[in-house]
Amino acid sequence: MASLINHANFLFTADELRQYNELIVKKITETPEISAFHTFETGIKNDKAIGLVAGTFGLLGKAAQGCGTRTPDTKLLATQAKKWEPKRFEVLLRECWADLDSTMGRLSRKLQNDVYDLTNTDYMIFLLSILEPDLARNIFRMAWFNNKNAATTTDSPAGVLTAGTDTSYFNLFDGFFEQLATIVTNTAARGTTIAANGQATFALQDSTLTNELAYKAIQAVIDGATPALRAHPDQMIICTGSVGRKAMRYLQDKGLPFNIDYAIKGLNMISLDGIKIFIVEWWDEFIRAYQSNGTKWNLPHRIVYTTKSNLMIGMEGQDLLDNFDVYHDKVTKYTYIEATDAIDVKVIEDNLVQYGV
């Protein structure tokens, strides 16, 4: 079995690489701060119900009936039930001390009887420095892009994942995008069409969405939403970088006011007409890497108008798995890295979404 790091490209001599902290980790698009536009519920176990009760009885107040027998209104608060269905996932990696023999990793190994145990070594600390943010990145990926019926473009029936993609990383549960698509299928008014998504090539999908059309797409999503969403104090928009960047350029060209509130951890956030707009470049990176049929991308331009409280991530544990269990097995001599939790995501109120694709 090979080492968890491909050391083949590293020269291991007295004058070359000697420590893992000398390595430069390639820059990737950082995962957005996952709590910025999601609400979390921890301690989710089994199939816990989510009960929803309408916040209004509807019409109230008729002419007074005077004395005598009076007929009361017949009112009933509307209710809806959704259900958490947490699915367990795991990260399980292992490393053998012997695979580090001819690499710089041997310098971080322990001595004598402890040589097999890689826990608390520089090598393991370096691996964990990669794994911990990477796990948060994958939780974000699962939350948005998972689909219980995940399939590649060459499968039968065909799906949207790039040919050769391992679908077992994507089919644990239905993520937010799949749930939004179902909401639009059931209620067409909750969808807003972005024509550029339907173009036949990568180049046309990009060029057809002009700066002006990107801005107008955001406006169309806002105008198409329910009054309840437009009046909600928690309202927000999340969009791909392809939409957000071009919309900002349009506003700049026209001299229209908007505020750049912050740009951190792969997330730009602007305010427009009092609405927070989160521009998520990571969505673009993922779509281009994993949702292509070789000719065009699957819905590269996306706008989600909803509320933070409406996008719920439920987890069995009490945190986002920022801790890995690293342990040494004295029988097999392997050092294992393991993490596990159960997760599900839910769009809580179908009425509080407008999905532009």
Side-chain angles (χ1 to χ4, degrees):
M1 178 179 173
S3 167
L4 290 174
I5 295 180
N6 179 8
H7 291 86
N9 294 321
F10 299 153
L11 295 176
F12 174 50
T13 71
D15 296 321
E16 296 293 339
L17 290 167
R18 309 289 288 180
Q19 295 181 333
Y20 284 96
N21 60 15
E22 295 177 1
L23 298 177
I24 298 173
V25 179
K26 284 187 176 181
K27 184 65 176 175
I28 58 173
T29 304
E30 290 189 87
T31 308
E33 186 63 48
I34 201 167
S35 61
F37 45 82
H38 305 95
T39 300
F40 290 94
E41 183 167 341
T42 58
I44 296 298
K45 296 182 180 179
N46 303 319
D47 294 339
K48 181 179 178 181
I50 306 170
L52 306 175
V53 181
T56 177
F57 278 102
L59 297 176
L60 295 171
K62 295 180 179 178
Q65 299 178 54
C67 299
T69 301
R70 293 180 297 165
T71 304
D73 270 355
T74 55
K75 292 292 182 179
L76 187 66
L77 279 174
T79 61
Q80 181 185 4
K82 292 192 174 184
K83 186 173 62 174
W84 288 116
E85 299 175 290
K87 303 299 181 185
R88 182 158 300 281
F89 70 95
E90 68 178 14
V91 176
L92 181 61
L93 303 171
R94 70 180 186 181
E95 183 68 280
C96 176
W97 66 279
D99 290 330
L100 303 181
D101 256 351
S102 59
T103 75
M104 56 192 280
R106 67 182 300 176
L107 298 177
S108 72
R109 291 190 320 204
K110 298 175 184 178
L111 303 175
Q112 296 179 309
N113 290 341
D114 294 328
V115 70
Y116 310 113
D117 182 2
L118 298 176
T119 62
N120 298 316
T121 61
D122 290 343
Y123 176 71
M124 191 58 60
I125 291 170
F126 179 78
L127 286 179
L128 291 174
S129 73
I130 302 291
L131 282 170
E132 288 176 359
D134 216 20
L135 181 54
R137 181 180 171 88
N138 277 277
I139 288 173
F140 186 77
R141 171 190 60 78
M142 288 190 287
W144 281 95
F145 289 94
N146 263 25
N147 181 344
K148 286 188 286 189
N149 298 314
T152 71
T153 55
T154 54
D155 286 334
S156 182
V160 300
L161 293 174
T162 304
T165 302
D166 185 346
T167 58
S168 64
Y169 287 106
F170 298 88
N171 59 12
L172 196 60
F173 55 86
D174 284 337
F176 288 127
F177 281 131
E178 184 63 20
Q179 292 178 41
L180 289 168
T182 299
I183 290 170
V184 173
T185 297
N186 294 335
T187 307
R190 298 285 63 77
T192 301
T193 299
I194 301 176
N197 280 328
Q199 298 300 312
T201 66
F202 300 127
L204 285 173
Q205 285 179 317
D206 182 47
S207 63
T208 302
L209 188 73
T210 63
N211 295 350
E212 180 178 5
L213 289 179
Y215 172 75
K216 287 184 174 180
I218 292 176
Q219 295 298 313
V221 166
I222 295 172
D223 292 342
T226 61
L229 176 54
R230 290 197 298 269
H232 203 289
D234 197 23
Q235 63 181 296
M236 64 179 183
I237 288 174
I238 317 167
C239 65
T240 53
S242 62
V243 174
R245 277 182 280 104
K246 291 185 176 184
M248 281 198 296
R249 289 173 191 154
Y250 177 80
L251 292 169
Q252 290 166 344
D253 290 344
K254 297 297 180 181
L256 298 174
F258 68 96
N259 297 322
I260 300 178
D261 292 305
Y262 59 79
I264 57 172
K265 292 200 70 174
L267 187 68
N268 293 328
M269 199 273 277
I270 68 172
S271 294
L272 179 63
D273 293 336
I275 301 175
K276 293 179 180 179
I277 301 178
F278 295 95
I279 302 171
V280 185
E281 295 284 355
W282 190 87
W283 280 358
D284 302 68
E285 179 183 333
F286 180 87
I287 292 167
R288 282 156 176 72
Y290 293 103
Q291 292 195 347
S292 163
N293 67 1
T295 303
K296 63 179 182 178
W297 293 298
N298 173 56
L299 306 175
H301 315 300
R302 306 187 190 192
I303 305 170
V304 178
Y305 183 25
T306 185
T307 72
K308 179 177 178 178
S309 56
N310 205 31
L311 299 176
M312 290 199 69
I313 299 178
M315 299 191 73
E316 182 183 76
Q318 297 300 313
D319 55 40
L320 280 178
L321 278 176
D322 54 1
N323 293 309
F324 283 83
D325 186 13
V326 182
Y327 57 93
H328 170 61
D329 181 8
K330 291 191 175 184
V331 176
T332 65
K333 305 304 182 187
Y334 281 110
T335 298
Y336 288 86
I337 308 172
E338 185 172 4
T340 185
D341 208 328
I343 183 174
D344 193 16
V345 303
K346 283 288 181 288
V347 177
I348 302 300
E349 294 188 61
D350 297 359
N351 193 48
L352 293 182
V353 299
Q354 191 69 20
Y355 185 30
V357 284

